[in-house]
Amino acid sequence: MIINDLDKFVSYCKRIQPQTQEDIKKFFEGVIFFPYDKELLLQAYLFLNLKKFFPSCSELLLFEKSPIADYTDLGKCDFVYLTNRGNLFLIETKFIDTEATGATERKRRNKHRNKVFEQVITLKGRFSEYWHIKPEQLECGVFTTDPEVDWRGNGVNVITKSVTIEHLEEWRKNYQINN
């Protein structure tokens, strides 16, 4: 049996992130009830509502880990999923404060919008190069709290999705275990 580079990567992921999907779900449910970090709450929301936003994703391979051995200086990917088509789907998340006003906040928002796309595109290149995975086997997504980014992925082949801060907070307040 010939093991391709994608299969090698999947095996690598199962070694460095051995938690089951159920363990990860319990972790994220804990985040909902003790939301000390807005970015982590956004990630919990995405994980627990994944099919609504990225329906082709089937199995979480990595969460907040470097895709390139332990070289975190080369970047960590928020989520790496295996898709139902046998590809990898890289997702970067970014909590963008859309409620703050003023010139400084507008500048900060724009910086965050640009950075999240830059991150996922850079990671795609590093994945492809390091793991010898064909670029067409690597899909990219961005998930934020800013609907302004929804159109930005069109020209760079990145699927963009968002949830408003209000909806995120409402969901957190109403979330029930086993829902």
Side-chain angles (χ1 to χ4, degrees), residues 23 128 149:
D23 291 339
S128 181
V149 302

Side-chain angles (χ1 to χ4, degrees), residues 42-164:
L42 179 65
Q43 291 170 341
Y45 178 83
L46 178 59
F47 180 82
L48 295 166
N49 295 281
L50 184 69
K51 293 294 182 193
K52 178 178 172 183
F53 298 100
F54 302 106
S56 68
C57 293
S58 59
E59 180 184 356
L60 179 63
L61 298 175
L62 289 181
F63 169 66
E64 284 288 348
K65 293 212 186 281
S66 173
I68 303 164
D70 284 327
Y71 299 107
T72 53
D73 57 317
L74 296 176
K76 291 186 305 188
C77 194
D78 292 338
F79 291 100
V80 178
Y81 280 92
L82 192 58
T83 71
N84 53 20
R85 295 184 297 282
N87 292 334
L88 295 180
F89 201 107
L90 317 177
I91 303 173
E92 281 297 311
T93 60
K94 182 58 97 181
F95 186 96
I96 299 173
D97 188 352
T98 55
E99 297 171 339
T101 59
T104 304
E105 290 302 324
R106 280 194 303 276
K107 191 174 183 179
R108 179 177 292 137
R109 269 194 298 278
N110 209 39
K111 182 181 170 196
H112 287 165
R113 289 170 182 148
N114 293 335
K115 185 177 181 185
V116 73
F117 281 97
E118 182 185 304
Q119 283 176 303
V120 79
I121 291 165
T122 299
L123 280 166
K124 179 179 180 176
R126 289 183 179 151
F127 258 91
S128 181
E129 189 178 318
Y130 184 83
W131 288 99
H132 309 289
I133 296 172
K134 296 178 193 126
E136 57 272 14
Q137 289 181 294
L138 292 165
E139 300 173 54
C140 296
V142 163
F143 189 71
T144 72
T145 52
D146 184 3
E148 287 286 315
V149 302
D150 286 358
W151 59 270
R152 288 185 179 214
N154 295 346
V156 289
N157 205 21
V158 175
I159 297 170
T160 55
K161 301 290 180 176
S162 63
V163 62
T164 64

